[in-house]
Structures are given as structure tokens and as C-alpha cells.
Amino acid sequence: MLNEFILKAPKRILILITVLIVVFLALVFLAFKKPAEETLPVKSFNPLEKTQVGKTRESDIEVQFSPAKKFIATRSGEMVFELESISPLRPDEIRAKEGLVIFERIRLPENPSQIGYSTISSFKVQFGQPEKTIKGSKFYGPLFETLIYSSKGVTIIGNPFTDEIFEVQRYTPTSIEDYINRYGEDIEEGVTVKEAPPE
Amino acid sequence: MKYLISLIILITSLFLLPQVSAAKKPLINLAQNTRTTQTIIGSEKTNLTECKFTRSDQVGNENLPFASHRLLSYFWEASQKTGIPVGVLGGIARIESTTDQYSISNYSNQDIEYIEQSDIPETVLTANNATSEIAKIKNLKIPSSNKAVCPVSSNNALGIMQIQPPGTNGHDAKAVNQGASLLEGDKNATNLTLKDYCNPRTSIIMSAGFILNKQGTTKWTPGWTNNKDFITRVARSYYGGLIYGGQDQYSYGDDLWNSVLSCRDPIFDISPITQTQQSSSPYCKAPDFSEYTQKYGFNSTNGKDYSYPNPTVEKYKQDFINAKEKAIKHAPKFGVDPVLAVWWVFYETGNPNSYNWSNCADTVKGNVDYNCPSTDSGKWQLGYGQQFATYRSDPNDPKKGLLAAFSDIYGDVNNKVKTKEVGQDVLNSAGQTRTFPDKSIQELVNEWVQYDDPDARYWMSVLMRDPDISMYLLSSALAGYDSQNPILKDRAAGWSSYYKSSWQATSNLMNDVIIAWNSTPCVAGTPVTAPSVNPIGKIYKSKRVCVRVGNPLFPSPCDTEIPSEGQPPAEPGKPGAKPVAPTVEESELREKIILEFGIRMDGFSAQYLKWAWEKFWDIKNTRFNELVRGAGIVATTPANTQQVGCRGGTSVLLGQFGDENTWKQVLIHELGHVVRNCNPQNRIQWIEHERALTQEGGVSDYGNKAKSCTGSDNGSEDYAEMIAYYLNPGNAVSTVTCFPPQFPNMKQDFPLHYNIAREVLGDY
């Protein structure tokens, strides 16, 4: 029956139908196609993020955020801006190179009702499993973990026992090794704190 | 052409099928959400010895507790590892290991120890050897009993939890694997030994993993505990069916559900004693005085020395009857002798009327504490003579505290009308003209606990002078005073020289209390009225009561003002208290620490267990225990002391070393790390502590120079030091070898730290 229809139909109509089907399929494909992996950092994760890595200009930092301190990193030559954070011991930090922001670090609040508070599990829902997890933080303590998503340009440091995120770092996507070399100064893997008491 | 159309259909399918498949995913999530949003009602009892486990075919003995605390500690440990309630694990053990010869409920601590020390071979069980190996031990009995050393079923299920090893019908290698993974070492279904299956602890822990595997999970969701259908499902999956017994059939699921209910937190079960119960109270006649001389160490009466309101004289008769009624009503709830409670009222208050007594004068609203060194401590008595601090809830005992008292006596703690009615009655009865606020007792307690609102504290103190509430709280504080170790006389002598010197007078008082008790009507249930003898309708300021803080660095005003006029007994958690650990076997003390404080201590000698028990008891009234409950401490070499984890496994490695004070300091320091690292930041004031460290520096050298000493960070170490010094005030010791002993005066020199510790832990 179908063959008979095809044989009898004029060639032009068949071509038209074929074109329509192809267009329809192309539309379906585009509608359901997953977006391609971005090469820039993924979009903002936390509302407390102040800059957009790779876009915010270095010249805007001082104007907009009044950094408490500004110096040049000796190793990388990057310009480092320290900003007041909710922690008196751990300032927020922005780094810039060649006129653009390349790194931002923010301390998240401790109260679940405050804007910006976040948990490791909710982060994983959005970003999936980390590319590397390292136990041991110089600043927070030896039991806490650094979860690195270097290809997405984001790293978090958190408490695996309470699920809380202490801080978020955003940077230009790179390799794990490069992240650790450039920004991983807080990582202190395998350290045990033996508190030998007086004998 | 037909190939073209087929190709188009194929391509279309390839594109559309994944989308259809993806569209189904939300349905799965919806189902998961539905499952996890069930209501959670309460937690399990703190005192697991109160749980009764059901096996319905044991007529007359259907519901029994476990006699062995050791066994209970294993259920608790398995519960900590997996979240499965003790009611479920114990309930399964009760059904699985009860025969016509024995029941696991009747195994004693000695029986369990005997099993653990028995020579059950450590042979790995395989499909080939299981039957022959099991045959070697299946008839072993504990000497002089019919109790099996290793319960073995007709189907060769093994141990208390009756797990099927390889080579037996019903063996589930995956489920056994999950259970074995919870044990120490690299255990799995292929290397478990006969001993692993028969050892009570490993059997129980394995069963927990087994249960979870059968439910396709690795962690118990709390809502399941309240879901009878789910508990029934657990029963079915564990037993392979629901009906057990011969001709008379019984429900495994119903029995298990009953066990779960029995282990539920009793805060939901507290109900006031009914009037009928009161009128037929066995407490209407007091025992002979001789019983009190024996039980509490009262002297024989000499009939001369007397310095307290005499309950036998007419002036105090109505007060006595009122106090007696309340004591009969409330003291038995805490296992306290009502006669002892009334004796306390007359001994301590100088005015045996609850409405109008406080030893912190009540002159200005919100200023009740002007002569109280600390408002939230043992230095303030009121009502029938309970301390203000008895308002506190106790996570280990849901019957304790002001909210529990109100709930027990008057119902809903959020009821503003009832709260006002009770409070206004106190004010009116005391002849005061104030108006009680329109607030519920829950609101008032929240305002005081969370915001230190002195007005809220004052209104709480008013409610605590209500006779029923006051006697309830007093009774809760007197619980355990019938202990023989030490007896009350010796205990009181340790409070101060006042109690020692007044013992003859108070012995005479007890004799007269008994005389008055047996000569007054037992009018339980009669409404209490304010006494006609209330002279001026004001609050008496009775004798000054002081508590030495036991710390020479922080002399209390009381120490110099009226040093010998009297001290109330130190309760747990009161500085100056010198607890004495129970004189029990090492293993029993370990179990007591688990049951009373929720902390597991493995590998410690009796001396260190004793010190640990004493310290935990000493700080029991703070919130410390709440913040570290579930921790496991494992003995190690002194040089290896460190925090390694949080709850459920090993939290701290701790050496056995040195003198008592140093060891207790290090014990609390290490658990101080658990407080900081294992609780939400806002709960333990992480950021506030960073501010304190920035502004005040560390409370000790270690908190300032941690890196150079142990490689740690200042924030971690100063927090742990803050906790350790707050709970060991005046302890001139050092946590680490790098620095000499220090004794920071936190309150004076580190007020920010002190306030954080107080906020996090409560008063000590």
C-alpha cells in the first residue's frame, strides 16, 4: 500500500516530504541535544561570588570591592587582592592576570539560613563526583576534604562529617596538577596531628 | 524508497527513545521522596535496660529486657554504625535466639563473656566444611545451664542473630558480605570464621549490615522506625516469612514492632499518676526511722539538737501536708522516697512552702540574681529547695527539666493560657501583685537558653515555685541519693563542714518528719492552698547557700562571706563535685560508659575507664555529652594521641599515661576536636571562635603555636584547648609536651572564649 503511494506520487512531492522529515528530525535533535561542555568555568554556583572568572576586569576589583590588601604573588606573578570575609582568619581572595580575574575564593556562611550557605551533597547534585578528593587542609584541619573539579574550574573545601562547605574556589579550567600547583597551597594530604602529652 | 522510510523511522527512534526514557526519571525520584518524608516520632530510650523485647510464644514471659548490659552495648554499637534502632536488632535477637531451652534475654554478662572467651575454632567456613565444623560446636552449653554457647538452628543458622553461613540453605552471600564489611579487618562472606558467626558482638554487627542489604541500602532512614509496614518488611526479609511457631502461630512482624515500640523514647509515655493511684498510695505510711539510719546513715535521734522548721508543730502542719502530697505524687517517678523529699524541704529551705521561697531575693523583676554569683548554676535554690539549674533538659533523661515537668503535670508546653494560669497562681499565692506575661513555658525557656533574657529567667523561676513543678524537679535532683556508695551521710559530709556538723540536727528532723508523716492524713489529691501563715507575702531570703567552685583561681563570693553556712550537694556537672566511679568490673565500667554517656572506650585499663567515667559524670549537666555522643575512643601509645574521625567508628586515639589531671585534660581536648569537627559550624560557633582567637589570641601556647608543635593549625587546637580548659578549670597542666603547664583564667583573661564555651556547652 505504501509502496503503491510512493510509486504513484510525483517525485517533487516525495522530495518535499523527505526534506520536511529531515528538518523535523533536525529540530528534534537540537531540542534534546545536551549543551556542549563549556571551556569557560561553569556558571556561578554560589550567590556570594563577586566576579566572573575570565570576564571581570582587574581594574574593576578595587573600584567595586575595596580590597583590604593587594600584593603580587611571588611564584606566579599574579596580582592578589584580599577581601574581608565572614572569617577573620581566612579573607576572601581574588587573583588577576593580564587584566582579567583568573581566580576567586570565598568563605561560605555557617548558618543554614544565610544566603550562600551550601552543602557538599547539593554541590554534587549539580556538579557530579569530583575529579579528585584530597583529605587534609592546612587551614581547616586534617580531617577536612578538598574536592577538585579542575576541568570545570571549581573546587570546594568542606567537612565530610557535617556535609558543610567551608569555601568555594573558582578559576579558569585547568588540569588537576596545575590546580594543585597554582592554587592548592591549603592542601596538606596525609598529615596526622599527634598530640604527644607530657610523660 | 522503502529503505529511505525505514531509515527515517530508525533515526527517529534513536532520537526519541532516550527522551522518553529520560522523561521517566522523575517518577523514580517522586517515589524516593515519598518514602523519605514519613513522620519521625522520637528516638530510642537512652536507658536501653528499659527496653523489653517480645517473643509471643513465651507465655507469661512474652516481653523481657536483656539481662546483659554487655549484650546491650553491642546492639548499641551496631546501631551507631548503621542507624538501625536497638529495638529492631534486639527484637530480632529475641525471636531468633529463644528456644524451649533458653532465651537470649536471660543471658548474663558472665554468660556473654564465657562465649567470647570460649574456644570456638577460628576456621573459615566454606560450603564444603560448614556442616562438619558446625557439628563440633552445636551442642556446647554454658556450664550449669541449658544456654547454648553458639545458638545453632536445625538449618545450621549460627549465633545470636542466626545468620546462615556458606553451604546452608538460605545463605545470602551479598547480604553477609555487607554485614562482614562492618567488622574490623577485611572480612567478607568467604573468610568469615566459625568464631565470627558465633561471637555475640560480631554476630550482631553483621546482622545490621545484613538487614540493610535486604532493604537495598547502606543506612537506616529514621522514618522507617515509625513505620509498622516497613518493620514488618524487615521481619519478612530477615526470617523469610512472617509466621513462626507450630500449631499456635505467631507473627514475627508484630513481635518485632512491639520491641521497637518498647524501646521508643519514654518522653512520649510519661503520664501523671492518677487520683485513684494516689489515694491508694503505698507511700501513705512512712517506714521506721531505723530503716533511714541504715539506708542513709542518719544518727539515732537525741531529741535535743534542732534548728529547722519542725514538721510536728501546728505552725507547719499545712505546709507539711502539702509537701507530702506533692512528694507522694512526684518522687516515685524518679525512684525517690517521698519521705526523703519532704525531709529535704524542711532541711534546706527554712520555709517549707514552695510558693514563696527563693534564696536569691525576689525584689525587682528580672533582678532575682543580685546576690547570686551565677544565675544558672547550683547556687540558687527555690520552691521546695531544688536548684534553678534543674530547669535544664537532659538529653540522656527525657524526664528531667522544667519542660518535662510542665508537660507531665499540665500538658502542652506551648499552651500560653495554662502557663500564665500556673505562673499567676504562684504570684498570687506568694502575695505578689505582678502579672504573669502571655507567654508559654516553651517560649520562656527558649528566650533564656538562646538569648539570656533575664526576664524570661525570672518568669521561669516563678513557674519553678509552683508546688507540683517544684517537687517534680526536686525529686529529679534527688534521684540516686539512696545509693550505698557512698551513703547519704558520707555524701553530705563531703559537701561542706556545715552538713557534717548539722547531721545530728537533721537526723532529729528526719525522725520528726516520720512522726508527722504517720500522724497526718494522707490527702493525696487535695488542692494545695497558700498557707495562712505567710507573714508578709514576700519571698524569704533564707540562709545563704554557697557552692565552692573547687578552683582556687576563681574564688566564689560565698567562700569569703559565709563559708560554713551551708552548701547544697553538688550534682553531676557542678564544679566541686567529686564523683566516685562505680566499683565494678572493668568490662562493666566500659559498658556503663556506653550506656550512660554514649561513648565507647576500647582497650583501656580499669584506672583510665574510672577516670573517664568520673570526668563524663562531672560534666554530665553540660551539653558536652550531646556534642560527642557516639564517639569511639581507642587506647593507643601516648605519642599517637589524636582525633581521627567522628561518630560511629574510631573518633579518637588516646594514650594511657601520666597523672589523672593531665589525662582528663587530654581526654577532653581530643573530644574537643570532635565537638568542633563533627558538629555543624553554627552549633559550635566556629566563626565566633575565629573572632575570639583573632582578638584574644589562643587560651594556651598550643593554640598560638600549633604548627611548630604538632603541625596542626591554631584554629583547631585553640578550640580544643578552650573546651578542655573550660571543663577542667584550674587544671595546671599542658596538653602537649612542647609547652609547659598552663592554667588560663578563661573567664577573666579570655572572656570571648569563655562566652563561646559557655554558649556551646552551657554552664559548668
Side-chain angles (χ1 to χ4, degrees), chain B residues 3-216:
Chain B
Y3 294 119
L4 177 64
I5 291 174
S6 300
L7 186 63
I8 288 167
I9 291 169
L10 179 66
I11 292 170
T12 307
S13 305
L14 283 173
F15 279 110
L16 292 181
L17 276 177
Q19 308 307 329
V20 172
S21 165
K24 284 183 179 174
K25 282 183 180 172
L27 293 175
I28 297 168
N29 291 336
L30 183 65
Q32 286 171 341
N33 288 340
T34 306
R35 193 176 62 173
T36 56
T37 52
Q38 289 167 12
T39 314
I40 300 168
I41 299 181
S43 56
E44 291 206 290
K45 286 175 176 169
T46 305
N47 187 352
L48 299 175
T49 59
E50 294 173 3
C51 301
K52 291 185 176 174
F53 302 93
T54 304
R55 171 129 176 176
S56 292
D57 65 347
Q58 300 288 296
V59 179
N61 286 311
E62 292 92 341
N63 306 306
L64 290 178
F66 285 123
S68 169
H69 290 191
R70 194 180 188 88
L71 203 54
L72 282 173
S73 75
Y74 299 149
F75 287 118
W76 181 85
E77 184 182 353
S79 176
Q80 290 292 306
K81 284 177 184 283
T82 59
I84 301 176
V86 170
V88 171
L89 296 168
I92 289 175
R94 164 79 168 134
I95 302 171
E96 293 286 348
S97 286
T98 296
T99 71
D100 53 359
Q101 298 289 308
Y102 59 83
S103 172
I104 191 63
S105 301
N106 299 325
Y107 279 54
S108 66
N109 277 349
Q110 288 74 26
D111 294 335
I112 301 299
E113 281 177 41
Y114 181 86
I115 297 171
E116 291 169 340
Q117 290 163 12
S118 63
D119 294 328
I120 295 173
E122 297 196 47
T123 311
V124 173
L125 290 187
T126 65
N128 294 330
N129 71 1
T131 306
S132 58
E133 289 298 319
I134 292 169
K136 294 176 187 171
I137 56 99
K138 77 186 296 181
N139 294 319
L140 292 178
K141 304 284 183 196
I142 291 169
S144 307
S145 79
N146 287 326
K147 296 170 184 168
V149 170
C150 181
V152 180
S153 77
S154 57
N155 197 27
N156 279 344
L158 284 174
I160 286 172
M161 303 306 285
Q162 292 284 282
I163 297 172
Q164 300 283 164
T168 64
N169 286 337
H171 172 64
D172 183 337
K174 285 184 181 172
V176 173
N177 263 335
Q178 188 164 335
S181 71
L182 298 173
L183 302 177
E184 294 80 7
D186 292 326
K187 289 286 184 181
N188 58 59
T190 62
N191 64 12
L192 286 170
T193 65
L194 183 57
K195 192 162 191 168
D196 291 329
Y197 282 100
C198 291
N199 179 288
R201 176 176 172 271
T202 49
S203 177
I204 291 167
I205 292 172
M206 272 200 287
S207 77
F210 188 97
I211 291 167
L212 293 178
N213 181 275
K214 290 289 189 184
Q215 305 311 320

Side-chain angles (χ1 to χ4, degrees), chain B residues 337-354:
Chain B
D337 178 356
V339 178
L340 187 76
V342 172
W343 162 79
W344 180 270
V345 172
F346 278 72
Y347 186 27
E348 279 295 310
T349 68
N351 171 45
N353 175 264
S354 174

Side-chain angles (χ1 to χ4, degrees), chain B residues 220-242:
Chain B
W220 184 271
T221 296
W224 296 341
T225 310
N226 191 44
N227 185 333
K228 187 180 179 188
D229 290 342
F230 191 84
I231 298 297
T232 305
R233 185 172 130 187
V234 169
R236 186 186 290 111
S237 65
Y238 198 90
Y239 182 60
L242 279 179

Side-chain angles (χ1 to χ4, degrees), chain A residues 29 32 87 107 159 188 195, chain B residues 15 19 670 690 702 717:
Chain A
F29 174 76
F32 290 101
S87 162
R107 176 68 160 95
N159 184 340
E188 194 169 42
E195 301 183 301
Chain B
F15 279 110
Q19 308 307 329
E670 296 305 332
E690 287 187 354
Y702 187 28
E717 299 311 331

Side-chain angles (χ1 to χ4, degrees), chain A residues 2-3 6 14 18 21 24-25 28-29 32 86-90 107-112 117 135 137-144 159 161-162 164-166 188 191-199, chain B residues 1-2 4-5 8 11-12 15-16 19 638-644 646 657 662 666 669-670 673 676-682 686-687 690-691 693-694 702 707 710 712-713 716-717 734-737:
Chain A
L2 187 65
N3 284 343
I6 292 170
L14 283 176
T18 306
I21 289 172
F24 170 75
L25 287 175
V28 168
F29 174 76
F32 290 101
I86 58 163
S87 162
L89 296 175
R90 182 86 169 162
R107 176 68 160 95
L108 302 193
E110 62 179 6
N111 193 327
Y117 175 90
K135 182 180 167 189
S137 157
K138 280 181 194 166
F139 177 75
Y140 296 101
L143 299 181
F144 303 126
N159 184 340
F161 304 106
T162 62
E164 293 172 309
I165 298 177
F166 293 133
E188 194 169 42
V191 168
T192 54
V193 178
K194 295 182 179 178
E195 301 183 301
E199 296 284 355
Chain B
M1 195 62 206
K2 65 181 175 185
L4 177 64
I5 291 174
I8 288 167
I11 292 170
T12 307
F15 279 110
L16 292 181
Q19 308 307 329
N640 197 34
T641 296
Q642 57 186 300
Q643 189 220 350
V644 294
C646 286
F657 54 84
T662 302
V666 177
H669 174 98
E670 296 305 332
H673 285 307
R676 177 184 187 256
N677 297 339
C678 307
N679 290 284
Q681 296 172 86
N682 68 330
W686 182 303
I687 298 287
E690 287 187 354
R691 283 200 190 95
L693 179 57
T694 308
Y702 187 28
K707 188 76 183 170
T710 59
S712 185
D713 61 281
S716 297
E717 299 311 331
S734 177
T735 311
V736 286
T737 47

